[in-house]
Amino acid sequence: MSRTTDRRGGRDGSPRVVVVDDSPFMRGLISDLLADAGVAVVGEAGDGEEALSVVAETRPDVVTMDVEMPGMGGLEAVERLMEETPTPVLMLSAHTDEGAEVTFEALDRGAVDFFAKPGGEVSTGVSRESDRLVDAVRSVADADLDAATRERDDPTVAASRSTGSGADAGAGADAADIDAPLTVVIAASTGGPNAVERVLSALPMADCRVVVVQHMPEAFTSRFADRLDAASAYDVREASDGARIGAGEVLVARGGSHTVIDSYRSGRLRVKLDEDDDSHTVTPAADVTMRSAAEVIDDPLVGVVLTGMGSDAAEGIRAMADAGARTMAQSEDTCVIYGMPKRAVETGGVDAVYDLDDVAGAIVGGEA
């Protein structure tokens, strides 16, 4: 284990980072990648216990936290950190189903976001993904930790997770009568897993079908769909090529491909997966799904942009607005990262801005 407070890298305005990993090689690699990008690495730790001490001493802007470590692991360290020295945490997780499971638990305990380490040789994979790692660190450093904490500590969300799937999940959301079949496209990134879950757990059952585009790798989107299914009265599953959904159903865009709404007829929509479009910086991209919805769906349509970094969904929400859809964005005060909603609002294509807890009601309430 090592412990250092020298400022490797670091330019004016760059985040100050503590790197936590039980492997000295990985600590050095991650620190060097960040420093080369001008990010200041102010401390390192080899386990959770040491991480708590180093963070208390250096007071960084963000912590990169490995999951599996001897002694105190990453999950316990995140929980303790939120209690003792609240600091935005980026989890470094395996790009596997098991990694997805533990990552969602880390998000429940207070982590802001995660970086999925590529498969194969870890050092090679992380080096290849260095730009993505740096972007994730910068994004998490800008997170509104108060907003993230409010979502995590909300008792209604915790209760909805414990009910399991089926009609009892999301029972707090009354059924709603709407005039015509309604299709909703929801976009989210950093801070999105908990925000999307909060919206769907409160969404009243109605003649409504939903497509969720959350920036997330392929190994994680199936687990995310299961998580949402357990929290919502809606039937939620991961998108597959040719999948169809109708009233009371939700598709989660699969990581590693774009979800295109291919056709819509008699209240049922069909999607196809596009793995060949590499013109976007994120996959899945909400812009792709939203533009296709605007082109294909002739019944009432709603576009929603939730918390996240970057500009994805800005072009898509504008296309939806031009097609006559109702559009909304999450308020800055309730966003973990006010990036995607801000860019969407700046296009002039957003009808209204809502606090997170008001989004579900606005979707089915027809307010604008």
Side-chain angles (χ1 to χ4, degrees):
M1 294 183 294
S2 68
R3 179 169 173 163
T4 175
T5 54
D6 67 312
R7 291 174 174 267
R8 286 181 286 169
R11 300 171 187 145
D12 291 344
S14 68
R16 302 170 65 253
V17 183
V18 165
V19 175
V20 184
D21 198 294
D22 64 319
S23 163
F25 174 76
M26 281 301 300
R27 288 199 305 274
L29 174 64
I30 293 168
S31 296
D32 288 345
L33 291 173
L34 295 175
D36 288 347
V39 175
V41 179
V42 298
E44 297 178 7
D47 59 40
E49 191 70 45
E50 188 181 24
L52 297 177
S53 176
V54 174
V55 170
E57 177 183 338
T58 61
R59 300 285 174 163
D61 300 305
V62 61
V63 177
T64 68
M65 182 78 71
D66 193 23
V67 175
E68 298 293 337
M69 295 180 290
M72 184 187 294
L75 291 179
E76 183 180 353
V78 168
E79 193 165 29
R80 288 274 304 276
L81 197 62
M82 293 303 110
E83 295 171 352
E84 300 173 15
T85 316
T87 307
V89 173
L90 176 71
M91 299 302 297
L92 301 184
S93 56
H95 199 289
T96 63
D97 291 341
E98 293 77 12
E101 188 73 32
V102 74
T103 295
F104 284 116
E105 186 173 351
L107 294 175
D108 288 343
R109 295 192 186 198
V112 171
D113 201 1
F114 64 93
F115 173 78
K117 294 187 257 189
E121 178 60 35
V122 173
S123 61
T124 302
V126 172
S127 297
R128 187 173 60 248
E129 297 287 337
S130 60
D131 289 345
R132 190 168 62 88
L133 173 62
V134 172
D135 287 344
V137 166
R138 293 186 184 278
S139 173
V140 169
D142 290 336
D144 183 340
L145 203 56
D146 288 339
T149 300
R150 284 196 301 272
E151 290 180 21
R152 187 183 77 250
D153 294 340
D154 187 278
T156 61
V157 174
S160 69
R161 283 186 194 133
S162 66
T163 60
S165 61
D168 290 338
D174 295 331
D177 292 326
I178 57 179
D179 294 335
L182 180 67
T183 301
V184 183
V185 182
I186 299 175
S189 184
T190 310
N194 287 336
V196 172
E197 181 177 344
R198 195 171 182 124
V199 170
L200 287 186
S201 67
L203 186 66
M205 181 54 69
D207 186 0
C208 179
R209 69 264 325 115
V210 183
V211 180
V212 173
V213 185
Q214 166 71 48
H215 297 165
M216 193 174 282
E218 183 175 358
F220 288 68
T221 46
S222 176
R223 177 65 187 90
F224 184 46
D226 291 342
R227 176 188 177 95
L228 296 178
D229 188 58
S232 170
Y234 284 66
D235 179 11
V236 186
R237 63 186 187 276
E238 183 186 43
S240 58
D241 196 46
R244 300 175 186 272
I245 59 169
E249 297 180 312
V250 179
L251 284 182
V252 173
R254 179 185 292 179
S257 60
H258 302 296
T259 295
V260 179
I261 297 178
D262 188 41
S263 65
Y264 177 83
R265 185 176 302 159
S266 301
R268 291 186 64 80
L269 63 82
R270 178 182 182 274
V271 303
K272 64 180 180 180
L273 303 186
D274 184 355
E275 299 179 358
D276 298 325
D277 182 356
D278 59 0
S279 63
H280 301 269
T281 58
V282 291
T283 309
D287 280 331
V288 173
T289 305
M290 288 179 159
R291 283 199 302 262
S292 65
E295 293 170 359
V296 170
I297 295 173
D298 49 13
D299 278 330
L301 182 62
V302 176
V304 182
V305 184
L306 300 179
T307 176
M309 73 171 187
S311 61
D312 185 35
E315 292 182 7
I317 207 75
R318 180 70 258 180
M320 291 182 75
D322 291 344
R326 288 190 293 117
T327 56
M328 61 190 73
Q330 185 179 346
S331 67
E332 182 175 7
D333 287 345
T334 62
C335 277
V336 175
I337 296 287
Y338 188 59
M340 286 169 54
K342 180 175 186 290
R343 296 292 186 86
V345 169
E346 288 173 348
T347 69
V350 171
D351 295 325
V353 173
Y354 294 98
D355 288 349
L356 182 61
D357 285 339
D358 297 327
V359 170
I363 288 173
V364 296
E367 302 172 6

